[in-house]
Amino acid sequence: MRDALSRWMRGAAMMAMAAAVMGAAPPPSTPKPELGPDGTPIIRAAPAPSFPSLRPGSAFADGADLPEMVVVPAGRFMMGTTPKDNRSVGVWPMFDAMEGPVHPVTIARPFAVGRYAVTFAQWDACVTDGGCGAYRPADEGWGRGRRPVINVNYDDALAYVAWLRRKTGQPYRLLSEAEWEYAARAGTVTPFYFGTRITHEDANYGNFYDRTTPVGSYPPNRFGLYDMAGNTAQWVADCHHPDFKGAPGDGSAWIAGGDCTKRNVRGGGWSLLDWTLHVAQRIGDPPQQRNNHLGFRVARDLP
């Protein structure tokens, strides 16, 4: 019996060895380099990395908890409004001079604009990452998350932009006043980007909810941007000027000759009257001002 077992074990071992030899993969071969006419290897460039589409209307974000950006096309528009148009929506005459004269502005290159105003979640991510001066603005008990950040002044907005630039290496900034109006109008010429009248189905204003609403609660404009009217007013980069006489026509921020003890604000807020949400509405606020209907959105230059 021991002889039979021994013979079986030797046979099994031989079969295993044969199977291993027959099934063994051949050693990997090293591919030969492609040679040029002079006999030296050809070095080919690596494929270009994949970047988000930069076509107008496309959207991207440079990271988690960072603003979603929408590519806004280049174009030309007439900035400002006339007293006649202001009377049609009930604008107080004292604002007529400030919103004129109507003048052409050319946006020569596409740029990216935040789809929404900066939210509490995005601001809090900045603070958690060591940015934004460790400032945690009050939410008035309304909640944070996707509600627009409030109680932020002009310097607070710049601090967030500076953090974005450091974190992403990308050229984030505040919108100029002309860029803001161009982005808000989205090709329309009516007093509001949704028409000649405003209702509470269009935007959050007039103390209807007595607070902000989460961003994106109302229909977007034609560029896909939300809350360009109501919810929170938004800081822009320009110093305040009493009218548009001498305003640049290239969409750049207007600093020279202005009253930089005030920075311009656009968009109207949840607590304000209906006519303050018309697209041309503008006002200058002290840059240190913080209140519960004032926030901001960001822009980013594109390659």
Side-chain angles (χ1 to χ4, degrees):
M1 183 174 179
R2 284 196 298 271
D3 291 343
L5 180 60
S6 179
R7 288 194 300 272
W8 180 85
M9 292 177 66
R10 287 196 300 270
M14 292 177 67
M15 292 177 64
M17 290 176 63
V21 171
M22 293 176 64
S29 60
T30 302
K32 294 182 179 180
E34 185 180 357
L35 302 180
D38 60 354
T40 59
I42 296 176
I43 307 300
R44 298 195 180 278
S50 176
F51 289 103
S53 168
L54 299 181
R55 295 189 306 273
S58 62
F60 65 92
D62 284 317
D65 296 322
L66 300 183
E68 181 182 352
M69 308 299 292
V70 176
V71 179
V72 169
R76 188 175 185 272
F77 78 111
M78 300 302 291
M79 185 176 183
T81 191
T82 65
K84 179 180 178 181
D85 285 340
N86 277 351
R87 295 297 85 72
S88 72
V89 293
V91 177
W92 295 348
M94 63 180 291
F95 288 97
D96 288 349
M98 194 184 303
E99 297 174 10
V102 177
H103 60 286
V105 174
T106 298
I107 306 296
R109 292 173 54 85
F111 66 108
V113 178
R115 186 181 293 280
Y116 311 104
V118 171
T119 66
F120 267 107
Q122 291 161 352
W123 181 275
D124 291 344
C126 173
V127 173
T128 299
D129 195 47
C132 292
Y135 170 56
R136 292 189 180 272
D139 62 16
E140 308 290 340
W142 305 336
R144 300 176 86 81
R146 285 183 58 80
R147 289 184 188 270
V149 68
I150 52 176
N151 293 310
V152 286
N153 63 27
Y154 181 78
D155 287 337
D156 297 329
L158 292 185
Y160 181 83
V161 168
W163 172 75
L164 272 183
R165 294 174 76 101
R166 291 193 303 270
K167 188 171 184 66
T168 66
Q170 299 298 334
Y172 282 93
R173 55 182 176 79
L174 294 180
L175 285 77
S176 72
E177 188 176 11
E179 288 173 333
W180 191 97
E181 187 169 326
Y182 174 72
R185 288 188 181 279
T188 63
V189 296
T190 49
F192 305 98
Y193 58 79
F194 34 76
T196 58
R197 293 289 182 269
I198 184 172
T199 73
H200 290 292
E201 294 182 356
D202 301 313
N204 180 17
Y205 67 94
N207 285 307
F208 190 73
Y209 293 107
D210 199 33
R211 64 192 60 197
T212 62
T213 49
V215 297
S217 296
Y218 294 86
N221 70 6
R222 294 181 183 179
F223 284 163
L225 306 176
Y226 290 80
D227 300 319
M228 296 300 281
N231 214 22
T232 59
Q234 299 158 29
W235 292 107
V236 293
D238 305 46
C239 295
H240 183 66
H241 293 75
D243 53 43
F244 285 136
K245 294 175 182 177
D250 61 359
S252 60
W254 193 13
I255 306 298
D259 177 7
C260 293
T261 65
K262 296 179 181 178
R263 293 285 176 164
N264 280 352
V265 172
R266 287 300 199 113
W270 62 268
S271 61
L272 303 180
L273 297 174
D274 53 359
W275 60 263
T276 67
L277 276 63
H278 75 282
V279 181
Q281 169 72 11
R282 60 192 295 262
I283 195 167
D285 277 346
Q288 67 273 19
Q289 177 159 294
R290 292 169 172 161
N291 62 49
N292 61 17
H293 65 251
L294 183 53
F296 67 100
R297 77 178 65 217
V298 296
R300 204 198 92 173
D301 293 323
L302 300 175

